[in-house]
Amino acid sequence: MEPVNTGVADAGKRDADAPAGDASAEDTTDAPTLGQLLLAVEELWPESLAEDWDEVGLVAGHPSAPVSRVMFAVDPTLEVIEEAVEWGAELLITHHPLLLRGVTSVAATTAKGKAIHRLIETGTALLTVHTNGDSAVGGVSDVLADALGLEDVAPLTSAANGLPEEGIGRVGVLADVMSLGDFAARVFGILPSVAGGVRVSGDKDGLVRRVAVCGGAGDSLFSQVRASNADVYVTADLRHHPASEAREAAVNDRPYLIDVSHFASEWLWLPAAASALGNVLADQGHDVEIQVSTTNSDPWDFILTPGGD
């Protein structure tokens, strides 16, 4: 796969081009411990916002270890871990959990076991920010909504332990009415390139203004989407039966559906998350380099489609 263009590099890093004698270039910062960095992460994406079924937080790593380099990625795949190790990251923050379900062994005879061994052997900590990163202000769906130009944004479903503006999914309005075809082109244009592209269900010339979004798999939110009176719903991993049933239940043919790559919809959050964490750490007087992984961990490599417009 082609690497992803991250659009962010070394968030929070000092200006390497500043003159050595310039007071602004003096090193008045220091690298935090992993424990201190976890506190900064908690400030941005509290674990209390995670869904009950989710597993977030520290997966591997010693809280007393110093951290001077952090990498963000969607998935803790072996390729991503190798990229982090090669760059020298002491901490890898991924959106998706490595160990979402219980295991009885982490022997290096499985992919997950190899990942755990590689992390520990190289001294690379792993931290998961999953549904807490979805729900928080500035989280996955907020970034997706902002990239699409939505205004007056509110959660599709409120967080049980959060602020009124926190929760899973978002709904908002476009500045101007658009055709479904033009809006789908906007969706396609903001996402990193992946094999699956963008699938659309609805009248290409139909008009849309109220938009619901959910980064990642969102077919569990159809009731909330209908209640929001959205004209179109943008999410990922739409399965045949839920999508078909949603179209059957549509009122005046709405909501239309736009199905995107799970990886692509959540990747958009990474540069924003890197920048946010860099700002918090800099405010606390810590010197940390932060990068976004360039590894495209979308699982699909190519797609065949019928001809025609």
Side-chain angles (χ1 to χ4, degrees):
M1 291 182 182
E2 291 295 322
V4 178
N5 181 2
T6 66
V8 63
D10 299 343
K13 184 181 179 182
R14 296 188 310 277
D15 185 356
D17 297 325
D22 192 328
S24 65
E26 291 180 4
D27 186 4
T28 59
T29 58
D30 66 324
T33 65
L34 177 57
Q36 290 172 317
L37 204 143
L38 293 178
L39 293 176
V41 168
E42 178 68 14
E43 181 178 326
L44 292 167
W45 310 292
E47 289 192 17
S48 61
L49 291 177
E51 298 294 295
D52 291 341
W53 52 265
D54 202 7
E55 296 293 341
V56 302
L58 191 62
V59 179
H62 199 293
S64 65
V67 176
S68 60
R69 286 186 170 187
V70 177
M71 180 170 284
F72 275 84
V74 174
D75 298 292
T77 62
L78 289 168
E79 185 178 0
V80 167
I81 291 170
E82 288 302 328
E83 181 186 5
V85 169
E86 182 176 342
W87 181 58
E90 293 95 357
L91 173 62
L92 173 62
I93 299 178
T94 63
H95 185 54
H96 290 148
L98 176 65
L99 304 174
L100 181 59
R101 296 176 178 83
V103 297
T104 58
S105 171
V106 290
T109 54
T110 66
K112 291 185 184 296
K114 289 177 183 177
I116 290 291
H117 277 260
R118 188 64 174 145
L119 290 165
I120 294 175
E121 290 165 359
T122 59
T124 309
L126 175 63
L127 176 67
T128 298
V129 179
H130 193 207
T131 52
N132 48 331
D134 290 321
S135 184
V137 173
V140 172
S141 291
D142 261 343
V143 171
L144 180 57
D146 184 63
L148 291 172
L150 301 189
E151 303 171 349
D152 300 324
V153 174
L156 270 176
T157 178
S158 297
N161 301 306
L163 301 171
E165 59 268 33
E166 293 176 320
I168 302 298
R170 296 292 187 267
V171 60
V173 295
L174 296 165
D176 299 295
V177 174
M178 300 179 68
S179 71
L180 177 61
D182 287 343
F183 178 69
R186 175 180 290 188
V187 173
F188 179 83
I190 67 166
L191 297 176
S193 178
V194 295
V198 171
R199 300 189 301 175
V200 185
S201 177
D203 179 1
K204 186 176 183 180
D205 297 320
L207 300 180
V208 300
R209 187 173 190 191
R210 190 163 176 80
V211 179
V213 302
C214 180
D219 62 14
S220 64
L221 298 180
F222 278 131
S223 295
Q224 290 86 345
V225 172
R226 284 190 287 267
S228 75
N229 295 315
D231 297 311
V232 59
Y233 182 35
V234 182
T235 191
D237 292 351
L238 287 181
R239 296 170 293 158
H240 174 85
H241 293 296
S244 179
E245 291 166 4
R247 297 299 292 138
E248 289 291 314
V251 176
N252 295 324
D253 207 27
R254 291 168 174 79
Y256 301 131
L257 303 178
I258 297 182
D259 183 33
V260 301
S261 156
H262 191 128
F263 163 82
S265 70
E266 295 178 329
W267 185 91
L268 289 177
W269 172 71
L270 300 183
S275 179
L277 182 59
N279 289 337
V280 170
L281 292 172
D283 287 344
Q284 294 175 351
H286 297 306
D287 181 26
V288 179
E289 295 181 58
I290 305 178
Q291 284 194 0
V292 171
S293 168
T294 62
T295 299
N296 183 342
S297 56
D298 187 274
W300 305 109
D301 292 308
F302 63 92
I303 186 171
L304 305 178
T305 61
D309 295 332

